[in-house]
Amino acid sequence: GEDVEQSLFLSVREGDSSVINCTYTDSSSTYLYWYKQEPGAGLQLLTYIFSNMDMKQDQRLTVLLNKKDKHLSLRIADTQTGDSAIYFCAESLRSSASKIIFGSGTRLSIRP
Amino acid sequence: NAGVMQNPRHLVRRRGQEARLRCSPMKGHSHVYWYRQLPEEGLKFMVYLQKENIIDESGMPKERFSAEFPKEGPSILRIQQVVRGDSAAYFCASSPDSDQPQHFGDGTRLSIL
């Protein structure tokens, strides 16, 4: 089946690293995505990884993909108050490249 | 290069009225997708269109909802005889091809009185 799961909340101290985790069930995914949504706003595509990659780094963001365990993570280094948002993990499937399956989102809050 | 443009940003309708939501894809993108986000939930796929054609409408409710993407002009998501349960944020995304990442607009927040 198609399912993407992630924890609902994460709280980190400003300056620390944030790690948001996600698991998915469909092994035929093509791309795996991380989107950021700030209150009242749309979704910003943060980064994505092709399913044949293990890792992708882009400035403060590091994405790790473990295909065997169907586990995806997003690490945000030196977390800032502007990183407060909901982060959605998502996948697109080889069988239906048209639609993206989203998780319910992880709300990241930053403590001073 | 403008992103995906959706309008209106907010739309209020009374039960039984019609809602029309518009989406202009990014320049050079001919693939459009509509998603619905209920409060405190993730986005759920509704429909995928490519100029003048509906490719996948597996997420679209069978009644009252329709979508089009004409040769000229924006894509339209139309909801007839709206009910309270239609209150949600509706997001449009576009891509240059079906196997390329989708870029999202800021959404239309629909409220039903």
Side-chain angles (χ1 to χ4, degrees), chain B residues 36-47:
Chain B
R36 177 165 62 178
Q37 184 181 31
L38 295 171
E40 306 300 321
E41 293 189 13
L43 279 70
K44 297 287 192 293
F45 168 81
M46 298 180 75
V47 62

Side-chain angles (χ1 to χ4, degrees), chain B residues 11 13 17-21 77-80 82 110 112:
Chain B
L11 182 61
R13 284 287 177 268
Q17 291 185 320
E18 178 180 287
R20 279 181 176 246
L21 289 62
L77 178 68
R78 183 177 174 214
I79 311 172
Q80 295 178 288
V82 295
L110 176 64
I112 309 302

Side-chain angles (χ1 to χ4, degrees), chain A residues 46-100:
Chain A
L46 274 183
T47 186
Y48 63 94
I49 188 168
F50 195 55
S51 58
N52 67 355
M53 297 169 64
D54 298 323
M55 186 183 95
K56 181 177 180 181
Q57 186 154 7
D58 184 2
Q59 299 182 332
R60 292 193 297 125
L61 305 178
T62 303
V63 178
L64 294 177
L65 175 59
N66 181 329
K67 285 196 74 173
K68 175 175 168 290
D69 295 338
K70 299 194 186 103
H71 182 267
L72 182 75
S73 69
L74 173 70
R75 179 175 178 270
I76 306 172
D78 187 24
T79 310
Q80 303 297 310
T81 53
D83 296 324
S84 293
I86 300 176
Y87 290 81
F88 290 97
C89 171
E91 64 170 343
S92 58
L93 306 177
R94 200 176 306 279
S95 59
S96 176
S98 58
K99 66 180 180 182
I100 296 178

Side-chain angles (χ1 to χ4, degrees), chain A residues 31 35 37 40-41 98 100, chain B residues 33 35 37 48 99 102 109:
Chain A
Y31 288 103
Y35 286 89
Q37 185 179 36
S98 58
I100 296 178
Chain B
Y33 316 80
Y35 293 80
Q37 184 181 31
Y48 160 42
D99 62 350
Q102 297 175 21
R109 279 147 184 87

Side-chain angles (χ1 to χ4, degrees), chain B residues 58-102:
Chain B
S58 58
M60 193 91 108
K62 294 286 186 287
E63 297 176 352
R64 302 188 299 107
F65 284 73
S66 62
E68 62 177 15
F69 188 17
K71 190 176 179 181
E72 302 290 337
S75 175
I76 307 285
L77 178 68
R78 183 177 174 214
I79 311 172
Q80 295 178 288
Q81 299 173 336
V82 295
V83 301
R84 286 254 169 87
D86 297 332
S87 295
Y90 292 83
F91 288 95
C92 171
S94 73
S95 66
D97 207 340
S98 62
D99 62 350
Q100 295 296 309
Q102 297 175 21

Side-chain angles (χ1 to χ4, degrees), chain B residues 6-53:
Chain B
Q6 290 188 248
N7 69 83
R9 289 294 307 278
H10 300 274
L11 182 61
V12 180
R13 284 287 177 268
R14 295 188 182 281
R15 280 179 294 172
Q17 291 185 320
E18 178 180 287
R20 279 181 176 246
L21 289 62
R22 293 174 186 77
C23 169
S24 295
M26 286 180 70
K27 189 176 180 181
H29 290 193
S30 59
H31 299 249
V32 165
Y33 316 80
W34 286 93
Y35 293 80
R36 177 165 62 178
Q37 184 181 31
L38 295 171
E40 306 300 321
E41 293 189 13
L43 279 70
K44 297 287 192 293
F45 168 81
M46 298 180 75
V47 62
Y48 160 42
L49 309 103
Q50 191 183 358
K51 278 294 184 183
E52 300 185 272
N53 294 306

